[in-house]
Amino acid sequence: MSEDTEVSREPVVTPVRVVIGICLVAPFVAMLWVGSYTKTDPAFIGIPFFYWYQMAWVLISTLLTMTAYKLWQRDQRGRAAQSAAPSSPKGGESR
């Protein structure tokens, strides 16, 4: 195969990939920063803040992970389409 038709495997940083990274890192940062939620007030239906904050992050991290996955799929489809387009024969040329 010639070098023109090979797919580049170099890591590429795009805005979509930055958003994906933020979506995946945000729950870790939120849970590792314990000082931000080591309190009892405000209570939600009688549950101290410390507990409901963590349970809220279970739902939030599910949504963020799902968002990151959908963005990753879209990014990969775009890269596949982009790499397939230049290697197709033009104007009836045969190889």
Side-chain angles (χ1 to χ4, degrees):
M1 239 188 232
S2 71
E3 290 180 24
D4 296 340
T5 59
E6 290 183 14
V7 178
S8 174
R9 296 289 178 198
E10 295 179 26
V12 178
V13 178
T14 62
V16 172
R17 290 184 178 190
V18 171
V19 171
I20 290 169
I22 291 170
C23 285
L24 295 175
V25 169
F28 290 105
V29 172
M31 290 293 93
L32 290 175
W33 185 24
V34 179
S36 69
Y37 61 92
T38 55
K39 51 190 169 192
T40 57
D41 289 328
F44 177 69
I45 60 171
I47 302 170
F49 180 74
F50 180 79
Y51 295 111
W52 70 258
Y53 178 82
Q54 292 177 66
M55 290 300 106
W57 270 101
V58 169
L59 299 174
I60 293 167
S61 54
T62 301
L63 293 172
L64 289 173
T65 303
M66 186 174 61
T67 301
Y69 178 69
K70 293 295 182 182
L71 288 171
W72 180 256
Q73 282 183 324
R74 190 175 72 173
D75 184 58
Q76 292 304 304
R77 280 193 306 267
R79 287 177 58 95
Q82 189 179 35
S83 66
S87 64
S88 63
K90 298 177 185 175
E93 295 177 24
S94 61
R95 292 185 181 199

